[in-house]
Amino acid sequence: MRNFIAQQVIFLGITTLLFNVSCQDEKKESKQDAQTEWEEKSPKKKWDYTGVYQVTLPCVDCSGIIVKLHLNEDGSYRIVKNYNGNDDTPGEIKTETGKYQWSENDSLIILNNQKFRISDNVISWKDPEIARIKKDSSKTYSLRMISKDSIMK
């Protein structure tokens, strides 16, 4: 009887060990599949994101801030902010240029420490850092592509 119980314990131990080894292989494969899937879905590879995007932001002391964002294939960008004038003051234009970077997992574009999420012909901009904007930290602004022409003018 002891011999039978010993055989059953050994059988269960080997079965459990084999089951655990096979599950670990599946986990490794699923991690690799997830990484490949993410790379295929990353905005950097999925969409043709270069071009000119535009949004009108609210403004405390003007009728609105028209923002045009130019993204170029070479990693350069240009943001033009046109502060529409009201009756008392004429409009003011501010321009910023530089190089954009992709976040570590290629899900966001980073311009001067501000993060933008890319999707098909739209860029989402959460809480833009503009001094004259009405602050609402829960608001996300969508810049829509207005031109595929990404040459900065």
Side-chain angles (χ1 to χ4, degrees), residues 125-148:
W125 189 6
K126 183 158 177 66
D127 196 22
E129 293 178 13
I130 297 177
R132 289 165 57 181
I133 192 172
K134 298 173 186 171
K135 281 296 187 184
D136 182 358
S137 61
S138 65
K139 183 80 171 157
T140 299
Y141 298 94
S142 296
L143 290 88
R144 304 250 179 239
M145 184 177 280
I146 59 171
S147 171
K148 284 283 192 188

Side-chain angles (χ1 to χ4, degrees), residues 7-138:
Q7 288 175 346
Q8 292 296 328
V9 169
I10 291 171
F11 176 75
L12 286 173
I14 291 172
T15 305
T16 303
L17 179 66
L18 290 174
F19 180 74
N20 285 337
V21 170
S22 68
C23 286
Q24 287 176 356
D25 289 341
E26 288 178 17
K27 287 179 186 175
K28 287 178 185 176
E29 288 175 13
S30 67
K31 283 182 183 177
Q32 289 173 345
D33 291 344
Q35 179 66 26
T36 303
E37 184 179 335
W38 171 253
E39 287 173 0
E40 290 172 358
K41 289 184 176 181
S42 83
K44 185 176 183 181
K45 295 179 182 177
K46 185 174 182 180
W47 290 297
D48 180 16
Y49 60 89
T50 59
V52 182
Y53 297 82
Q54 181 174 314
V55 68
T56 301
L57 302 174
C59 181
V60 174
D61 59 354
C62 64
S63 59
I65 305 167
I66 299 172
V67 178
K68 284 190 180 178
L69 171 61
H70 303 252
L71 291 178
N72 298 297
E73 286 184 36
D74 65 357
S76 63
Y77 75 89
R78 178 177 170 193
I79 295 181
V80 178
K81 300 171 189 166
N82 182 357
Y83 295 80
N84 286 336
N86 55 27
D87 293 337
D88 300 330
T89 57
E92 170 187 6
I93 296 177
K94 293 184 179 179
T95 303
E96 174 188 321
T97 59
K99 292 280 188 179
Y100 61 85
Q101 300 173 342
W102 283 93
S103 64
E104 202 170 290
N105 60 5
D106 292 341
S107 64
L108 302 170
I109 283 184
I110 303 169
L111 314 176
N112 197 17
N113 294 324
Q114 294 189 61
K115 296 178 182 177
F116 298 78
R117 183 170 304 281
I118 302 286
S119 60
D120 194 19
N121 294 327
V122 176
I123 296 178
S124 300
W125 189 6
K126 183 158 177 66
D127 196 22
E129 293 178 13
I130 297 177
R132 289 165 57 181
I133 192 172
K134 298 173 186 171
K135 281 296 187 184
D136 182 358
S137 61
S138 65

